[in-house]
């Protein structure tokens, strides 16, 4: 007797995440094996010439990579997905797959800084022109479309300044002008924002953040709809992209608990962000889930939840006072990346070229982890006390 397999397409998102990738498990184990492999042996010349077996060479896919790719595609609601060795590698591979010399790229002004460097560096050198646009442009993007605009790149919300973009309006204008829409979907992790249901064609994530979820691996994902998949897949293979088996496995493992982790990140971040809003040292809290926060209306329309990342603009204070705040936190680590189980705080300066950042105060980005919000607030109180003392 063999037991029936669930039809995942009919099940709730959290159920899908639990079952995702299970098709590749063997011998009764719940999880698929981690295949370390380059050579795959063929039983005959006929099999070799016919390429009839599912696996032919390590870089071309293993049961481990297929399991996590399938899980990511299921999470995002896309056609299929590929893994890259970092989030930035996922972005660069996706952009290079759809752009060539003479093409025009529309890039959101609030984009993750290394993607700006890629656009102004490598892509420019290849003869691809980038222009930056206001993240809040919405359907106004239609005015910026040129006959050679191939890609409109979005990131929503921006991972430092948290602007929520009107993806359906941007997608409608882009498609009308013959361009595809790419989104950096890292903040919503593919769980709180369904990129394809909102008109995106390609969704990229730094899986380093919430999918891995434990600050112990680098990984990127590129998920495509049916139309963009063949072109992306061809470019991915020509560029020789792949990722390490242990890190792909850790990504799959993280996906199974994504729903429950994100729910707690949201609960804790909401509590801390609300509290921050009442602090006399704080000018603005940039967390779209808070009522009256910038982007709240679009967030409520398009997202089903909020992750643990938000930013704060302090009331103007000296550099010394802002540094005293950060140096006197003990539960909040100070460092880059986010999406792990632990809380982080990091200062940043927004980069802009198409718009202006007018806030005067210091900017700090917080990632709220799985600690007790009360412990986090008392840590922040220590920081604010030091800020006041240094003022
Ligand atoms: C971290 C990050 C990336 C890059 O991911 P890496 O894995 O660090 O290369 C891309 N986009 C956003 C929004 C990020 O936060």
């Amino acid at each position: 007797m063999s037991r029936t397999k669930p039809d995942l397409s009919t099940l709730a998102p959290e159920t899908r995440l639990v079952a995702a990738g299970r098709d590749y498990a063997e011998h009764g184990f719940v999880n698929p094996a981690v295949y370390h492999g380059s050579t795959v042996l063929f039983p005959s010349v006929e099999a070799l010439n016919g390429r009839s077996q599912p696996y032919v060479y390590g870089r071309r896919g293993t049961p481990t990579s297929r399991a996590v790719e399938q899980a990511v595609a299921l999470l995002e609601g896309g056609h299929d997905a590929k893994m890259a060795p970092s989030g930035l590698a996922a972005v660069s591979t996706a952009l290079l797959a759809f752009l060539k010399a003479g093409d025009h790229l529309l890039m959101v002004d609030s984009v993750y800084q290394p993607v700006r460097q890629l656009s102004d560096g490598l892509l420019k050198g290849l003869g691809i022109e980038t222009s930056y646009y206001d993240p809040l442009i919405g359907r106004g993007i239609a005015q910026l479309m040129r006959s050679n605009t191939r890609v409109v790149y979005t990131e929503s919300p921006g991972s430092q300044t948290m602007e929520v973009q009107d993806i359906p309006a941007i997608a409608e204008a882009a498609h009308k002008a013959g361009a595809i829409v790419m989104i950096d979907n890292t903040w919503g992790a593919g769980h709180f924002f369904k990129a394809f249901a909102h008109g995106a064609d390609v969704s990229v994530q730094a899986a380093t953040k919430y999918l891995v979820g434990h600050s112990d691996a680098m990984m990127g994902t590129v998920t495509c709809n049916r139309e963009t998949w063949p072109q992306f897949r061809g470019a991915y293979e020509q560029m020789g992209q792949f990722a390490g088996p242990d890190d792909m496995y850790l990504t799959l493992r993280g996906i199974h608990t994504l729903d429950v982790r994100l729910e707690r990140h949201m609960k804790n971040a909401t509590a801390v962000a609300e509290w921050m809003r009442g602090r006399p040292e704080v000018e603005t809290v940039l967390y779209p889930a808070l009522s009256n926060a910038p982007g709240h209306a679009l967030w409520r329309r398009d997202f089903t939840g909020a992750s643990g990342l938000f930013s704060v603009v302090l009331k103007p204070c000296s550099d010394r006072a802002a540094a005293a705040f950060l140096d006197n936190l003990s539960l909040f680590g100070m460092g880059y990346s986010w999406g792990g189980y632990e809380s982080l705080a990091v200062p940043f300066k927004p980069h802009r070229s198409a718009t202006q950042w007018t806030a005067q105060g210091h900017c700090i980005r917080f990632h709220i982890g799985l600690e007790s919000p009360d412990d986090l607030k008392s840590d922040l109180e220590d920081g604010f006390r030091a800020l006041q003392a240094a003022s």
Side-chain angles (χ1 to χ4, degrees):
M1 189 197 116
S2 78
R3 307 185 66 216
T4 50
K5 270 198 223 161
D7 174 8
L8 297 185
S9 66
T10 64
L11 299 171
E14 61 271 30
T15 312
R16 293 190 202 188
L17 295 186
V18 168
R22 191 76 63 81
D23 285 354
Y24 296 88
E26 287 184 303
H27 309 298
F29 285 93
V30 171
N31 292 297
V34 180
Y35 279 84
H36 289 90
S38 52
T39 301
V40 180
L41 302 175
F42 296 87
S44 67
V45 171
E46 189 188 359
L48 186 143
N49 288 336
R51 293 282 169 117
S52 56
Q53 57 194 48
Y55 304 104
V56 296
Y57 183 56
R59 167 162 43 72
R60 300 289 302 275
T62 67
T64 311
S65 70
R66 282 311 295 152
V68 68
E69 286 161 6
Q70 200 181 65
V72 168
L74 193 68
L75 163 69
E76 294 259 16
H79 171 67
D80 209 339
K82 287 284 188 192
M83 312 301 285
S86 71
L88 187 56
V91 173
S92 63
T93 308
L95 285 171
L96 287 166
F98 293 100
L99 292 166
K100 60 181 187 321
D103 284 350
H104 176 232
L105 164 65
L106 275 170
M107 178 59 68
V108 63
D109 209 22
S110 46
V111 72
Y112 177 69
Q113 183 60 14
V115 176
R116 184 182 284 271
Q117 286 157 5
L118 168 68
S119 305
D120 297 346
L122 185 67
L123 296 186
K124 186 176 179 201
L126 291 172
I128 296 154
E129 186 189 351
T130 299
S131 38
Y132 293 87
Y133 69 88
D134 182 346
L136 305 179
I137 197 165
R139 66 187 67 255
I141 196 99
Q143 268 84 61
L144 303 181
M145 301 297 305
R146 304 180 193 166
S147 58
N148 62 340
T149 308
R150 293 282 165 265
V151 175
V152 178
Y153 189 98
T154 65
E155 179 182 319
S156 183
S159 68
Q160 289 186 328
T161 43
M162 297 287 149
E163 294 89 346
V164 181
Q165 296 195 256
D166 190 343
I167 302 298
I170 290 171
E172 195 187 333
H175 290 156
K176 212 172 270 175
I180 64 162
V181 174
M182 212 174 271
I183 183 169
D184 184 329
N185 205 16
T186 305
W187 188 85
H191 196 48
F192 286 153
F193 183 73
K194 294 300 177 190
F196 297 97
H198 288 87
D201 301 286
V202 178
S203 176
V204 177
Q205 278 196 57
T208 306
K209 313 293 165 54
Y210 284 119
L211 303 196
V212 167
H214 295 71
S215 307
D216 52 2
M218 307 292 300
M219 186 61 61
T221 67
V222 182
T223 310
C224 295
N225 60 14
R226 193 175 294 278
E227 292 71 34
T228 54
W229 175 247
Q231 183 165 342
F232 175 73
R233 183 188 178 160
Y236 175 93
E237 290 185 351
Q238 287 170 46
M239 283 187 256
Q241 284 286 19
F242 202 54
D246 294 305
D247 293 342
M248 287 195 286
Y249 181 79
L250 289 175
T251 308
L252 179 62
R253 185 162 84 160
I255 287 172
H256 294 310
T257 58
L258 183 65
D259 177 69
V260 67
R261 285 186 291 109
L262 281 179
E263 196 179 333
R264 183 62 70 88
H265 282 292
M266 171 162 64
K267 179 165 170 258
N268 289 1
T270 304
V272 175
E274 288 277 13
W275 179 84
M276 283 281 203
R277 193 140 78 162
R279 288 297 308 192
E281 302 86 350
V282 169
E283 182 80 47
T284 328
V285 177
L286 303 171
Y287 187 47
L290 293 190
S291 57
N292 302 322
H296 179 68
L298 275 182
W299 172 80
R300 210 173 47 192
R301 188 191 72 184
D302 291 348
F303 286 71
T304 56
S307 64
L309 193 77
F310 67 82
S311 295
V312 157
V313 182
L314 296 177
K315 290 203 176 126
C317 68
S318 66
D319 290 349
R320 206 170 73 89
F325 171 78
L326 288 161
D327 286 341
N328 282 277
L329 300 175
S330 58
L331 277 180
F332 283 86
M334 188 166 55
Y336 294 103
S337 200
W338 46 282
Y341 52 82
E342 82 288 14
S343 289
L344 297 167
V346 75
F348 69 93
K349 291 191 168 72
H351 295 263
R352 286 294 184 279
S353 54
T355 56
Q356 283 201 320
W357 182 257
T358 53
Q360 296 297 309
H362 289 84
C363 299
I364 301 175
R365 187 180 72 183
F366 294 91
H367 179 252
I368 304 302
L370 306 179
E371 305 91 339
S372 147
D374 290 338
D375 289 337
L376 294 175
K377 286 181 218 167
S378 85
D379 196 34
L380 292 167
E381 255 166 9
D382 291 345
F384 283 128
R385 209 171 294 123
L387 183 155
Q388 296 283 7
S391 288

